[in-house]
Amino acid sequence: MKKVLFLLIPAAILLSCKGKRTQSAADTGSATHSSSLSSKNLLPIYQGVWVKSDYIEKIKQSQSVLAAVDVVTGITGMQIDSGLLNADNLEVTVGWDNQNPGNVALTFKPGKNPAAVKFGEDELGYFIANGDTSLILYQVYNKQLFKTRYDRILPITPDRNLSDAINYAINKALIAGNYTLNSPANKVTFTNDGQVTGLAGVKKYFIENDLKPGPLNNLDLIIFDEFSSKKTVYSYLFKGNTLELYEAKPNASATLMVLGKLKYNLTRQ
């Protein structure tokens, strides 16, 4: 998700109900009575930055952000900051379709679903299983109930936002870890928060996640030192425990990205 804010399009509310959603139900977790659904009781549970579980899981399983485009529709992430509470209402920062930020009102009044309170026109609940807390977004579209699960990725901090959490979750699921660079032999580390060590002249990386169908969105891309004069773009490809980075450039008509020569061959440790 890029860090440029756009106005929330009203139509996105309708679009958020479309697409594939996690169907895991909240009844697998601990039961909660409506008398407990107050801001005082819920804020410690809801506090944090959350990212859509099935999106990150598909990236992890497929080793590709491009392959997970079909589950990015709707609210990809949400940032719930207890410091913004006003009476029983709290404005939640959300990210639609990985690109369009906006806000949804979280109101601490019981909903119809388990452990859920009002969240705009929908409901937001939670469940706890094996000590881990997840949020469940309940939405009704064409009289069908959809349940979307979110996992807490980062705590609320002044120096991080929703974009950072989505990037962090993608990095952790996809590429973060230690590698050996085959030629020349060297240890390379990609961190969860987008730092690189061991690649000469490279300090930061970003996994492109704005890959909805359109021009130049046909390859998985990693960008080194994006906001500098040393910016370089590669396409990444996993083959077993090997990560290959290829030079990638637009074709002559700027409609597709095309692979060039293999630049880095890294073996995951």
Side-chain angles (χ1 to χ4, degrees), residues 146-177:
F146 292 89
K147 304 170 187 177
T148 307
R149 176 177 168 175
Y150 296 79
D151 292 328
R152 181 159 35 210
I153 303 301
L154 292 173
I156 297 293
T157 58
D159 58 338
R160 282 178 167 172
N161 57 28
L162 183 54
S163 298
D164 296 322
I166 292 176
N167 294 336
Y168 185 100
I170 292 173
N171 295 345
K172 183 178 180 181
L174 181 68
I175 198 172

Tab-separated table of all heavy atoms in Angstrom, residues 146-177:
chain	number	residue	atom	x	y	z
A	146	PHE	N	-21.214	-12.632	5.279
A	146	PHE	CA	-19.805	-12.903	5.036
A	146	PHE	C	-19.010	-12.594	6.300
A	146	PHE	O	-19.282	-11.609	6.996
A	146	PHE	CB	-19.280	-12.039	3.882
A	146	PHE	CG	-19.857	-12.400	2.543
A	146	PHE	CD1	-21.030	-11.797	2.103
A	146	PHE	CD2	-19.242	-13.327	1.734
A	146	PHE	CE1	-21.572	-12.120	0.868
A	146	PHE	CE2	-19.770	-13.655	0.489
A	146	PHE	CZ	-20.937	-13.055	0.061
A	147	LYS	N	-18.027	-13.425	6.588
A	147	LYS	CA	-17.178	-13.237	7.759
A	147	LYS	C	-15.723	-13.152	7.303
A	147	LYS	O	-15.217	-14.067	6.667
A	147	LYS	CB	-17.341	-14.405	8.734
A	147	LYS	CG	-18.770	-14.661	9.175
A	147	LYS	CD	-18.869	-15.966	9.933
A	147	LYS	CE	-20.327	-16.313	10.224
A	147	LYS	NZ	-20.443	-17.642	10.902
A	148	THR	N	-15.065	-12.052	7.632
A	148	THR	CA	-13.682	-11.846	7.231
A	148	THR	C	-12.815	-11.712	8.463
A	148	THR	O	-13.094	-10.897	9.338
A	148	THR	CB	-13.541	-10.584	6.361
A	148	THR	OG1	-14.462	-10.656	5.272
A	148	THR	CG2	-12.132	-10.454	5.817
A	149	ARG	N	-11.771	-12.502	8.516
A	149	ARG	CA	-10.899	-12.533	9.695
A	149	ARG	C	-9.690	-11.619	9.511
A	149	ARG	O	-9.130	-11.513	8.419
A	149	ARG	CB	-10.430	-13.969	9.946
A	149	ARG	CG	-9.435	-14.124	11.082
A	149	ARG	CD	-9.100	-15.584	11.293
A	149	ARG	NE	-7.954	-15.740	12.168
A	149	ARG	CZ	-7.505	-16.910	12.601
A	149	ARG	NH1	-8.111	-18.028	12.224
A	149	ARG	NH2	-6.447	-16.978	13.382
A	150	TYR	N	-9.276	-10.982	10.622
A	150	TYR	CA	-8.107	-10.100	10.627
A	150	TYR	C	-7.196	-10.474	11.788
A	150	TYR	O	-7.666	-10.749	12.890
A	150	TYR	CB	-8.529	-8.627	10.769
A	150	TYR	CG	-9.345	-8.128	9.599
A	150	TYR	CD1	-10.699	-8.432	9.510
A	150	TYR	CD2	-8.768	-7.396	8.574
A	150	TYR	CE1	-11.459	-8.002	8.429
A	150	TYR	CE2	-9.521	-6.949	7.490
A	150	TYR	CZ	-10.863	-7.266	7.429
A	150	TYR	OH	-11.614	-6.850	6.352
A	151	ASP	N	-5.894	-10.463	11.538
A	151	ASP	CA	-4.902	-10.744	12.572
A	151	ASP	C	-4.161	-9.469	12.939
A	151	ASP	O	-3.875	-8.628	12.083
A	151	ASP	CB	-3.898	-11.796	12.089
A	151	ASP	CG	-4.534	-13.164	11.929
A	151	ASP	OD1	-5.469	-13.481	12.695
A	151	ASP	OD2	-4.097	-13.912	11.040
A	152	ARG	N	-3.833	-9.334	14.231
A	152	ARG	CA	-3.094	-8.156	14.680
A	152	ARG	C	-1.631	-8.291	14.253
A	152	ARG	O	-0.967	-9.269	14.566
A	152	ARG	CB	-3.194	-8.013	16.196
A	152	ARG	CG	-2.475	-6.791	16.736
A	152	ARG	CD	-2.967	-6.350	18.102
A	152	ARG	NE	-3.349	-7.465	18.944
A	152	ARG	CZ	-4.293	-7.388	19.885
A	152	ARG	NH1	-4.932	-6.256	20.092
A	152	ARG	NH2	-4.574	-8.440	20.629
A	153	ILE	N	-1.143	-7.282	13.531
A	153	ILE	CA	0.207	-7.313	12.975
A	153	ILE	C	1.173	-6.456	13.782
A	153	ILE	O	2.297	-6.872	14.066
A	153	ILE	CB	0.206	-6.839	11.506
A	153	ILE	CG1	-0.739	-7.704	10.661
A	153	ILE	CG2	1.616	-6.863	10.927
A	153	ILE	CD1	-0.404	-9.178	10.655
A	154	LEU	N	0.727	-5.258	14.165
A	154	LEU	CA	1.585	-4.328	14.896
A	154	LEU	C	0.788	-3.613	15.984
A	154	LEU	O	-0.431	-3.461	15.867
A	154	LEU	CB	2.167	-3.277	13.945
A	154	LEU	CG	3.180	-3.743	12.894
A	154	LEU	CD1	3.500	-2.595	11.946
A	154	LEU	CD2	4.449	-4.265	13.543
A	155	PRO	N	1.468	-3.154	17.028
A	155	PRO	CA	0.808	-2.284	18.004
A	155	PRO	C	0.672	-0.876	17.438
A	155	PRO	O	1.262	-0.543	16.411
A	155	PRO	CB	1.770	-2.313	19.197
A	155	PRO	CG	3.115	-2.515	18.563
A	155	PRO	CD	2.876	-3.425	17.382
A	156	ILE	N	-0.123	-0.042	18.099
A	156	ILE	CA	-0.235	1.364	17.715
A	156	ILE	C	1.000	2.112	18.189
A	156	ILE	O	1.339	2.106	19.365
A	156	ILE	CB	-1.500	2.002	18.335
A	156	ILE	CG1	-2.760	1.325	17.792
A	156	ILE	CG2	-1.531	3.501	18.070
A	156	ILE	CD1	-3.020	1.571	16.323
A	157	THR	N	1.709	2.749	17.253
A	157	THR	CA	2.865	3.572	17.588
A	157	THR	C	2.829	4.839	16.738
A	157	THR	O	2.282	4.838	15.633
A	157	THR	CB	4.195	2.836	17.322
A	157	THR	OG1	4.254	2.445	15.946
A	157	THR	CG2	4.313	1.590	18.194
A	158	PRO	N	3.414	5.940	17.236
A	158	PRO	CA	3.363	7.211	16.496
A	158	PRO	C	4.069	7.169	15.152
A	158	PRO	O	3.738	7.941	14.246
A	158	PRO	CB	4.061	8.202	17.447
A	158	PRO	CG	4.034	7.558	18.789
A	158	PRO	CD	4.083	6.088	18.543
A	159	ASP	N	5.065	6.290	14.995
A	159	ASP	CA	5.886	6.302	13.783
A	159	ASP	C	5.479	5.252	12.759
A	159	ASP	O	6.179	5.049	11.765
A	159	ASP	CB	7.354	6.119	14.158
A	159	ASP	CG	7.603	4.822	14.918
A	159	ASP	OD1	6.642	4.292	15.510
A	159	ASP	OD2	8.749	4.341	14.918
A	160	ARG	N	4.345	4.558	12.977
A	160	ARG	CA	3.897	3.547	12.022
A	160	ARG	C	2.419	3.735	11.731
A	160	ARG	O	1.652	4.178	12.596
A	160	ARG	CB	4.147	2.137	12.558
A	160	ARG	CG	5.602	1.690	12.446
A	160	ARG	CD	5.803	0.322	13.036
A	160	ARG	NE	7.088	-0.237	12.660
A	160	ARG	CZ	7.589	-1.348	13.164
A	160	ARG	NH1	6.889	-2.031	14.066
A	160	ARG	NH2	8.761	-1.806	12.776
A	161	ASN	N	2.017	3.365	10.512
A	161	ASN	CA	0.624	3.501	10.122
A	161	ASN	C	0.127	2.212	9.469
A	161	ASN	O	0.818	1.194	9.463
A	161	ASN	CB	0.428	4.710	9.196
A	161	ASN	CG	1.292	4.623	7.947
A	161	ASN	OD1	1.636	3.542	7.480
A	161	ASN	ND2	1.655	5.778	7.394
A	162	LEU	N	-1.070	2.258	8.918
A	162	LEU	CA	-1.670	1.074	8.321
A	162	LEU	C	-0.863	0.556	7.141
A	162	LEU	O	-0.719	-0.655	6.950
A	162	LEU	CB	-3.112	1.389	7.905
A	162	LEU	CG	-3.932	0.243	7.309
A	162	LEU	CD1	-3.937	-0.968	8.225
A	162	LEU	CD2	-5.357	0.715	7.036
A	163	SER	N	-0.322	1.457	6.342
A	163	SER	CA	0.527	1.044	5.219
A	163	SER	C	1.716	0.231	5.705
A	163	SER	O	2.073	-0.801	5.113
A	163	SER	CB	1.038	2.265	4.455
A	163	SER	OG	-0.006	3.008	3.887
A	164	ASP	N	2.322	0.683	6.794
A	164	ASP	CA	3.469	-0.026	7.344
A	164	ASP	C	3.089	-1.438	7.778
A	164	ASP	O	3.860	-2.390	7.580
A	164	ASP	CB	4.045	0.740	8.543
A	164	ASP	CG	4.586	2.099	8.158
A	164	ASP	OD1	5.179	2.209	7.070
A	164	ASP	OD2	4.422	3.048	8.943
A	165	ALA	N	1.908	-1.581	8.374
A	165	ALA	CA	1.469	-2.893	8.869
A	165	ALA	C	1.235	-3.864	7.721
A	165	ALA	O	1.602	-5.043	7.803
A	165	ALA	CB	0.212	-2.749	9.708
A	166	ILE	N	0.615	-3.384	6.642
A	166	ILE	CA	0.376	-4.254	5.491
A	166	ILE	C	1.704	-4.670	4.846
A	166	ILE	O	1.919	-5.839	4.519
A	166	ILE	CB	-0.548	-3.574	4.478
A	166	ILE	CG1	-1.950	-3.427	5.080
A	166	ILE	CG2	-0.612	-4.364	3.172
A	166	ILE	CD1	-2.933	-2.693	4.210
A	167	ASN	N	2.614	-3.713	4.693
A	167	ASN	CA	3.929	-4.049	4.156
A	167	ASN	C	4.660	-5.037	5.062
A	167	ASN	O	5.289	-5.993	4.585
A	167	ASN	CB	4.770	-2.783	3.994
A	167	ASN	CG	4.224	-1.842	2.942
A	167	ASN	OD1	3.513	-2.262	2.027
A	167	ASN	ND2	4.528	-0.566	3.065
A	168	TYR	N	4.577	-4.815	6.367
A	168	TYR	CA	5.225	-5.679	7.360
A	168	TYR	C	4.692	-7.107	7.245
A	168	TYR	O	5.461	-8.080	7.234
A	168	TYR	CB	4.968	-5.110	8.755
A	168	TYR	CG	5.660	-5.816	9.895
A	168	TYR	CD1	6.829	-5.294	10.449
A	168	TYR	CD2	5.148	-6.984	10.453
A	168	TYR	CE1	7.466	-5.921	11.516
A	168	TYR	CE2	5.775	-7.619	11.510
A	168	TYR	CZ	6.925	-7.085	12.042
A	168	TYR	OH	7.548	-7.715	13.102
A	169	ALA	N	3.364	-7.238	7.151
A	169	ALA	CA	2.746	-8.567	7.067
A	169	ALA	C	3.151	-9.286	5.785
A	169	ALA	O	3.429	-10.493	5.790
A	169	ALA	CB	1.228	-8.438	7.146
A	170	ILE	N	3.188	-8.553	4.669
A	170	ILE	CA	3.603	-9.146	3.394
A	170	ILE	C	5.064	-9.578	3.453
A	170	ILE	O	5.424	-10.695	3.056
A	170	ILE	CB	3.371	-8.156	2.238
A	170	ILE	CG1	1.873	-7.946	2.003
A	170	ILE	CG2	4.049	-8.657	0.961
A	170	ILE	CD1	1.550	-6.868	1.003
A	171	ASN	N	5.917	-8.697	3.953
A	171	ASN	CA	7.344	-9.020	4.043
A	171	ASN	C	7.578	-10.275	4.886
A	171	ASN	O	8.347	-11.171	4.503
A	171	ASN	CB	8.109	-7.854	4.669
A	171	ASN	CG	8.094	-6.610	3.809
A	171	ASN	OD1	7.762	-6.655	2.628
A	171	ASN	ND2	8.431	-5.475	4.401
A	172	LYS	N	6.916	-10.336	6.035
A	172	LYS	CA	7.104	-11.466	6.950
A	172	LYS	C	6.644	-12.775	6.318
A	172	LYS	O	7.299	-13.813	6.460
A	172	LYS	CB	6.341	-11.208	8.251
A	172	LYS	CG	6.523	-12.289	9.299
A	172	LYS	CD	5.787	-11.937	10.577
A	172	LYS	CE	5.976	-13.028	11.628
A	172	LYS	NZ	5.242	-12.699	12.890
A	173	ALA	N	5.503	-12.726	5.615
A	173	ALA	CA	4.952	-13.942	5.007
A	173	ALA	C	5.736	-14.388	3.778
A	173	ALA	O	5.785	-15.578	3.466
A	173	ALA	CB	3.493	-13.702	4.622
A	174	LEU	N	6.354	-13.443	3.094
A	174	LEU	CA	6.909	-13.739	1.775
A	174	LEU	C	8.424	-13.878	1.740
A	174	LEU	O	8.958	-14.888	1.271
A	174	LEU	CB	6.480	-12.643	0.792
A	174	LEU	CG	6.933	-12.785	-0.657
A	174	LEU	CD1	6.235	-13.969	-1.316
A	174	LEU	CD2	6.637	-11.495	-1.430
A	175	ILE	N	9.129	-12.877	2.238
A	175	ILE	CA	10.554	-12.787	1.892
A	175	ILE	C	11.500	-12.615	3.072
A	175	ILE	O	12.695	-12.913	2.965
A	175	ILE	CB	10.764	-11.628	0.887
A	175	ILE	CG1	12.101	-11.774	0.164
A	175	ILE	CG2	10.641	-10.281	1.584
A	175	ILE	CD1	12.277	-10.790	-0.975
A	176	ALA	N	11.009	-12.130	4.215
A	176	ALA	CA	11.892	-11.844	5.347
A	176	ALA	C	12.650	-13.093	5.779
A	176	ALA	O	12.106	-14.196	5.828
A	176	ALA	CB	11.088	-11.281	6.506
A	177	GLY	N	13.946	-12.911	6.075
A	177	GLY	CA	14.769	-14.029	6.514
A	177	GLY	C	16.202	-13.874	6.059
A	177	GLY	O	16.598	-12.849	5.488
